[in-house]
């Protein structure tokens, strides 16, 4: 009997090569040491997918994992973590999505699904409570994600079936293909849709009807109610609930943090045309929310007229308004929404897709690319007809799209002729819509993130615009004012390390940190520890929880070390370190990365020369096997 509540105590092992589906018991020590979600996947990757395994090989693992708070009354308990070795970066990879699939999986009685092997023909995994089987998906292969979900629901005769699906991009092994999660949420980053496609797994469909039990129902109920009230009382709640992440577009632009023309600038002259206000005036229909979310940052949008009339989306994010807007020098909001919907249907990460296209546009501007290279496509800034055409070509690996489907790092290496200078990535992952010159902690976070350039692993928010009261509440008077100043570097390594450890915990328990930043802004270490203890019955305090977060983050780093990552890879493109920003509050700023890295490694207990965790640190965290495997 599994000793902890909040979990189902079971996970599914699916071998697509043999067709065998095996229920397995959740190891209590895995729950105690790694919680679930992100931590569960990290441990399995470390144990079973070594450097000799190609990310797209049959023996590579694809892991769908929930956490002990997913599907419960805790606000924002909707998150699903997908983990695999990334075909885009070749190192640790994960993607996170909200919606309803994660809770539904737990209602069906499963904490996780681990997929290995390769099917001989396209299949999908059907889960109905405690029954699971592989079904033929030959007629779904080639379909878009929305077509696939609709077809499965028709076949089941149940509109409440929740799905995780890939589109043509995943089938064609585009290295930044994502996985679409009911409803129109994206586990987009790191190319995990390509891993799913390599296994010929078109979809997972799940329907569950069971309960989730908690250890102390009365205490857990009171905590959940308190958390809901606190979130609603937070001053950030009204604007985020009203606008979702598009609400920060104009603020980021004023700060010089809104990447424009492939990060040449941090502000967009026509930002008002793609702002939250413009979006709502043009296409807003009604508010929506993920499972258990009081914020409701999702919205239903529909274009009423024009060339893309009828285009409907359940989610438009800040990132996509940038990647398909300012970063390609486009202020046509309708075209952004059309590109967003196309990416969702094709199964493309909008961040990486927009970055690889803006990269190609800058190469055109620099005359590194010409019509002979692009197959006759003029890659001029703002040409959305070409952008929309390229999205289809990328997903089909057709013509010039085949090159872009490799991502900016590989494409730059293939093109040569100085193209690498314009490839905006870290460790192979394209940089999201955050210019670190305008927020130095974000620049450091991009460099140190275990999955490559990332804004949501450390997720530094205290110094985003300068909130001294929030910083004082969390870290004390001694860290002010520098920690709360976006352009200062002092104490930013502490901010990043703490955020990475806390983020690892959040991604392992199954709650949301991006929906209005409320987990990071309102709920913190003591709150998550209390909720975990009440839900699971596991003794939990802040010290223990911090140790778990640090253990998960260090094991991810060890996995990357196993794949050759060193301090030299914790770097940024020259644009950020050598070229002063021309925009907003960041005007004249560059990122002085190396001193921050030195302090970051010191705080982490990592070797400052190699950037590797020291044997002492790993033993302190109970990772003796990592010391032995890495020969430290």
């Amino acid at each position: 009997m599994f000793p902890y509540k909040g979990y189902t105590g079971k996970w599914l092992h699916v071998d697509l090569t043999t067709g065998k589906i095996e229920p397995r018991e959740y190891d209590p020590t895995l729950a105690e040491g790694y919680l679930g979600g992100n931590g569960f996947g990290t441990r399995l990757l470390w144990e079973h997918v070594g450097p000799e395994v190609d990310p797209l090989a049959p023996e590579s693992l694809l892991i769908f994992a929930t956490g002990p708070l997913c599907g419960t009354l805790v606000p924002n308990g909707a998150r699903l973590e997908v983990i695999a070795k990334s075909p885009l970066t070749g190192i640790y990879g994960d993607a996170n999505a909200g919606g309803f699939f994660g809770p539904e999986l737990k209602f069906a009685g499963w904490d996780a699904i681990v997929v290995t092997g390769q099917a001989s023909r396209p299949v999908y995994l059907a889960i109905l409570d405690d029954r699971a089987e592989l079904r033929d998906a030959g007629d779904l292969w080639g379909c878009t994600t929305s077509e696939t979900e609709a077809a499965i629901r028709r076949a089941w005769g149940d509109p409440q079936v929740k799905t995780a699906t890939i589109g043509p991009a995943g089938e064609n092994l585009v290295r930044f293909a994502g996985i679409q999660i009911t409803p129109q949420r994206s586990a987009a980053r790191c190319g995990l849709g390509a891993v799913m496609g390599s296994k010929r797994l078109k979809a997972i469909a799940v329907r569950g009807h069971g309960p989730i039990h908690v250890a102390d129902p009365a205490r857990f109920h009171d905590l959940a109610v308190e958390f809901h009230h606190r979130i609603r009382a937070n001053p950030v709640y009204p604007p985020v609930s009203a606008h979702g992440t598009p609400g920060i577009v104009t603020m980021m632009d004023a700060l010089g943090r809104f990447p424009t023309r492939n990060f040449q600038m941090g502000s967009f002259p026509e930002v008002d045309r793609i702002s939250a206000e413009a979006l709502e005036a043009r296409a807003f229909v009604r508010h929506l929310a993920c499972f258990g979310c009081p914020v409701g940052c999702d919205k239903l949008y529909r274009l009423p007229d024009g060339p893309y009339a009828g285009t409907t989306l359940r989610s438009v994010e800040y990132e996509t308004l940038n990647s398909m807007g300012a970063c390609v020098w486009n202020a046509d909001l309708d075209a952004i929404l059309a590109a967003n919907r196309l990416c969702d249907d094709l199964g493309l990460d909008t961040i990486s897709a927009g970055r690889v296209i803006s990269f190609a546009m800058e190469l055109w501007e620099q005359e590194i690319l010409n019509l002979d290279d692009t197959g006759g496509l003029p890659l001029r800034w703002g040409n959305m007809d070409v952008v929309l055409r390229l999205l289809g070509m990328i997903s089909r690996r057709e013509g010039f799209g085949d090159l872009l489907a490799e991502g900016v790092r590989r494409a730059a290496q293939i093109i040569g002729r100085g193209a690498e200078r314009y490839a905006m990535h870290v460790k192979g992952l394209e940089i999201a819509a955050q210019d670190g010159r305008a927020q130095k902690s974000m620049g450091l976070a991009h460099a140190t993130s275990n999955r490559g350039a990332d804004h949501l692993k450390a997720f530094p928010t205290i110094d985003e615009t300068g909130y001294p009261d929030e910083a004082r509440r969390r870290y004390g008077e001694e860290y002010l004012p520098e920690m709360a100043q976006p352009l200062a570097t002092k104490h930013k390594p502490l901010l990043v390390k703490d955020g990475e450890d806390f983020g690892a915990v959040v991604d392992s328990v199954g709650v949301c940190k991006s929906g209005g930043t409320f987990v990071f802004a309102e709920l913190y270490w003591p709150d998550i520890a209390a909720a975990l203890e009440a839900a699971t019955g596991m003794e939990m305090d802040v010290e223990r929880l911090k140790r778990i977060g640090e253990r998960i983050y260090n094991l991810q780093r060890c996995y990357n070390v196993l794949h050759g990552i060193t301090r030299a890879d914790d770097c940024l493109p020259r644009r950020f370190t050598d070229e002063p920003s021309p925009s907003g509050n960041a005007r004249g700023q560059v990122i002085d990365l190396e001193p921050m890295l030195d302090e970051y490694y010191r705080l982490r207990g990592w070797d400052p020369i190699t950037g590797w965790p020291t044997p002492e640190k790993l033993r302190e965290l109970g990772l003796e096997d990592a010391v032995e495997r890495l020969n430290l």
Side-chain angles (χ1 to χ4, degrees):
M1 178 70 71
F2 189 75
Y4 301 114
K5 304 298 184 181
Y7 300 86
T8 70
K10 300 184 301 177
W11 57 276
L12 275 176
H13 184 271
V14 181
D15 188 330
L16 293 172
T17 300
T18 64
K20 183 177 180 180
I21 302 174
E22 180 185 3
R24 296 189 178 179
E25 293 185 3
Y26 208 105
D27 184 347
T29 63
L30 195 58
E32 292 161 359
Y34 297 91
L35 300 175
N38 185 265
F40 175 86
T42 297
R43 189 68 211 182
L44 263 63
L45 273 194
W46 170 255
E47 292 178 356
H48 300 291
V49 184
E52 75 284 357
V53 177
D54 187 280
L56 301 178
E59 57 268 33
S60 188
L61 297 184
L62 180 64
I63 303 159
F64 296 78
T66 68
L69 299 184
C70 178
T72 70
L73 293 176
V74 165
N76 307 330
R79 306 303 286 196
L80 172 77
E81 193 83 6
V82 187
I83 307 100
K85 187 175 180 178
S86 168
L88 182 64
T89 66
I91 56 175
Y92 172 83
D94 67 29
N96 188 285
F100 294 86
F101 183 92
E104 196 77 17
L105 184 63
K106 286 188 70 175
F107 299 155
W110 307 101
D111 288 310
I113 304 166
V114 179
V115 183
T116 188
Q118 183 186 67
S120 60
R121 66 187 188 282
V123 296
Y124 79 91
L125 176 64
I127 302 171
L128 179 60
D129 293 315
D130 61 353
R131 302 191 303 276
E133 64 179 6
L134 294 171
R135 298 183 182 178
D136 182 77
D139 59 339
L140 300 176
W141 204 252
C143 291
T144 66
T145 61
S146 57
E147 290 169 344
T148 300
E149 181 176 63
I152 290 173
R153 286 180 167 179
R154 285 195 303 270
W156 286 41
D158 186 350
Q160 296 303 314
V161 172
K162 311 303 189 295
T163 64
T165 67
I166 59 169
E171 296 171 5
N172 292 314
L173 310 185
V174 174
R175 292 188 184 272
F176 48 87
I179 302 169
Q180 286 299 113
I181 306 294
T182 301
Q184 284 188 14
R185 304 298 298 174
S186 302
R189 306 241 66 192
C190 295
L192 305 193
V195 179
M196 195 163 166
S198 73
K199 298 184 176 301
R200 300 194 183 101
L201 180 64
K202 179 64 176 178
I204 300 173
V206 60
R207 189 73 169 97
H209 302 85
I212 298 174
H213 299 287
V214 296
D216 189 338
R219 183 184 178 211
F220 189 77
H221 172 271
D222 290 347
L223 284 169
V225 170
E226 176 196 335
F227 292 170
H228 277 270
H229 284 308
R230 282 169 51 188
I231 285 174
R232 290 179 179 274
N234 189 291
V236 180
Y237 175 83
V240 174
S241 183
H243 306 300
T245 60
I248 67 173
V249 166
T250 52
M251 177 181 72
M252 294 296 106
D253 190 82
L255 294 173
R257 243 187 81 182
F258 196 56
T260 300
R261 290 170 70 121
N262 197 36
F263 290 88
Q264 292 179 25
M265 300 174 281
S267 298
F268 184 42
E270 297 186 85
V271 67
D272 290 342
R273 293 180 58 189
I274 62 172
S275 66
E277 293 76 13
L279 175 62
E280 289 157 18
R282 177 65 177 143
F284 176 79
V285 177
R286 62 187 174 91
H287 297 284
L288 299 169
C290 295
F291 175 90
C293 179
V295 180
C297 68
D298 265 0
K299 318 294 170 192
L300 182 65
Y301 298 105
R302 183 178 296 113
L303 289 174
D305 51 37
Y308 312 109
T311 296
T312 305
L313 302 98
R314 286 188 59 108
S315 178
V316 177
E317 300 288 352
Y318 161 82
E319 291 290 341
T320 307
L321 289 169
N322 180 270
S323 65
M324 298 297 166
C327 215
V328 294
W329 200 245
N330 166 54
D332 183 343
L333 185 59
D334 287 19
I336 294 175
L337 299 192
N340 193 156
R341 181 58 200 241
L342 189 57
C343 285
D344 287 349
D345 276 345
L346 296 174
L348 287 169
D349 173 10
T350 62
I351 297 174
S352 288
R355 293 295 174 262
V356 77
I357 292 173
S358 66
F359 158 72
M361 286 179 165
E362 185 164 13
L363 295 188
W364 178 276
E365 179 184 44
Q366 297 295 330
E367 298 184 348
I368 294 173
L369 291 178
N370 57 41
L371 290 174
D372 291 335
D373 299 306
T374 66
L377 291 176
L379 301 184
R380 298 184 184 91
W381 291 114
N383 189 337
M384 287 305 289
D385 289 338
V386 166
V387 169
L388 292 169
R389 184 175 173 185
L390 276 174
L391 294 176
M393 292 173 64
I394 290 168
S395 72
R396 297 186 296 271
R397 282 190 169 271
E398 173 186 298
F400 184 62
D402 185 39
L403 174 63
L404 298 188
E406 293 294 300
V408 298
R409 181 173 65 179
R410 283 183 175 84
Q413 291 168 349
I414 293 168
I415 293 167
R417 307 192 297 275
E420 291 90 344
R421 176 177 179 177
Y422 306 100
M424 298 295 108
H425 74 90
V426 176
K427 301 183 181 76
L429 185 63
E430 290 79 13
I431 300 173
Q434 323 288 332
D435 190 327
R437 291 173 293 187
Q439 184 191 3
K440 301 304 172 63
S441 63
M442 188 63 76
L444 177 62
H446 284 154
T448 60
S449 169
N450 283 325
R451 70 175 183 177
D454 197 275
H455 62 297
L456 288 176
K457 289 303 180 186
F459 203 20
T461 57
I462 284 173
D463 64 333
E464 198 163 51
T465 56
Y467 293 115
D469 291 340
E470 180 67 12
R472 183 180 295 109
R473 181 173 73 85
R474 291 194 178 204
Y475 296 101
E477 298 286 345
E478 65 269 28
Y479 298 121
L480 291 174
E482 291 92 347
M483 181 175 277
Q485 294 177 1
L487 301 180
T489 58
K490 190 175 181 180
H491 303 306
K492 298 309 169 67
L494 173 65
L495 179 60
V496 169
K497 177 197 177 294
D498 181 78
E500 288 170 341
D501 292 345
F502 186 53
V505 165
V506 171
D507 286 342
S508 297
V509 300
V511 296
C512 177
K513 61 188 174 189
S514 60
T517 75
F518 280 110
V519 170
F520 273 47
E522 186 56 53
L523 307 180
Y524 201 39
W525 290 106
D527 306 300
I528 301 299
L532 274 172
E533 185 171 84
T536 66
M538 197 183 300
E539 290 187 12
M540 189 63 64
D541 57 22
V542 169
E543 182 179 354
R544 180 180 179 185
L545 194 59
K546 285 188 173 185
R547 182 179 175 87
I548 292 172
E550 192 174 13
R551 178 183 300 120
I552 294 168
Y553 208 82
N554 272 261
L555 189 59
Q556 290 171 2
R557 181 68 172 197
C558 288
Y559 186 77
N560 287 348
V561 169
L562 200 65
H563 289 76
I565 293 297
T566 70
R567 175 174 178 147
D569 299 288
D570 292 343
C571 60
L572 294 169
R574 287 173 50 195
R575 178 151 285 165
F576 299 119
T577 58
D578 297 353
E579 299 178 19
S581 171
S583 304
N585 291 355
R587 184 179 299 275
Q589 292 288 318
V590 295
I591 302 173
D592 188 8
L593 181 62
E594 296 306 315
M596 288 195 290
L597 275 179
D598 287 338
E599 176 65 6
Y600 173 84
Y601 294 140
R602 187 190 69 79
L603 291 169
R604 278 253 173 246
W606 293 358
D607 185 277
I609 305 300
T610 64
W612 296 356
T614 61
E616 295 76 17
K617 172 54 67 175
L618 295 178
R619 291 191 182 100
E620 174 191 323
L621 296 172
L623 294 172
E624 289 83 1
D625 61 326
V627 177
E628 181 178 350
R629 190 174 182 185
L630 296 175
N631 295 314
L632 296 176

